[in-house]
């Protein structure tokens, strides 16, 4: 995929997520969008180091996570498998649907453990703040693992 096309697609999803009437969406669509953004961030192809794509993915993730409905969907029991970052800085298999795993992945990026440039890290902190605005308790669970 062309990085510019990927970035524009992610920006379109961000615009949709910020203006969508959430009550009209089918349950699970917001959590699926979060899983898709985690997959973009965990991707190991040549676009992986594209800062614009990673910044857009984290901005989309922050927008999605700023919605309490998304957080409710993420607290549901895990359903599928998605890639995320582990404490060893490598890709690991994660169960999707876990708010703690999303928080851990975002904090690993924000802390600079993935060697991303500053704009990516700033969006990582923004995504973490979106979660913490609605659920401060998730920090205790995630911080102990990091």
């Amino acid at each position: 995929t062309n990085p510019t096309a990927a970035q524009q697609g992610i920006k379109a999803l961000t615009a949709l997520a910020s203006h969508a009437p959430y009550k009209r969406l089918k349950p699970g669509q917001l959590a699926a969008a979060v899983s898709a953004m985690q997959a973009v961030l965990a991707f190991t192809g040549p676009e992986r180091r594209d800062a614009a794509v990673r910044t857009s993915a984290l901005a989309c993730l922050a927008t999605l996570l700023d919605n309490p409905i998304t957080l409710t969907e993420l607290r549901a029991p895990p359903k599928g498998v998605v890639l995320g970052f582990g404490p060893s800085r490598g890709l690991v298999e994660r169960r999707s649907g876990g708010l703690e795993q999303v928080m851990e992945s975002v904090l690993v990026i924000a802390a600079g453990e993935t060697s991303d440039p500053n704009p990516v890290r700033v969006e990582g902190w923004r995504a973490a703040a979106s979660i913490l605005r609605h659920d401060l308790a998730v920090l205790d669970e995630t911080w102990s693992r990091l």
Side-chain angles (χ1 to χ4, degrees):
T1 303
N2 183 340
T4 305
Q7 181 185 12
Q8 294 305 315
I10 292 168
K11 285 185 176 186
L13 178 60
T14 303
L16 177 66
S18 62
H19 300 300
Y22 295 107
K23 295 181 187 219
R24 295 188 68 192
L25 293 174
K26 291 180 183 176
Q29 287 182 330
L30 294 171
V34 169
S35 292
M37 291 304 100
Q38 282 190 285
V40 168
L41 294 169
F43 186 65
T44 59
E47 296 90 6
R48 167 152 177 24
R49 289 286 93 186
D50 191 293
V53 171
R54 292 177 64 75
T55 302
S56 296
L58 282 164
C60 183
L61 197 56
T63 300
L64 291 165
L65 294 171
D66 211 19
N67 183 335
I69 296 171
T70 306
L71 299 180
T72 301
E73 287 184 8
L74 289 173
R75 286 187 196 102
K79 292 181 180 179
V81 175
V82 69
L83 292 176
F85 292 101
S88 63
R89 300 181 194 146
L91 290 175
V92 294
E93 193 174 276
R94 298 271 187 213
R95 304 302 278 172
S96 68
L99 187 58
E100 292 80 19
Q101 284 89 7
V102 174
M103 184 66 173
E104 184 177 331
S105 296
V106 166
L107 285 178
V108 166
I109 292 169
E113 294 183 21
T114 54
S115 303
D116 283 307
N118 285 339
V120 177
R121 294 177 63 195
V122 167
E123 287 300 328
W125 286 116
R126 196 175 133 227
S130 294
I131 296 172
L132 296 175
R133 241 188 310 280
H134 301 286
D135 189 358
L136 192 57
V138 75
L139 183 62
D140 292 335
E141 299 165 12
T142 306
W143 197 260
S144 64
R145 283 197 303 267
L146 292 175

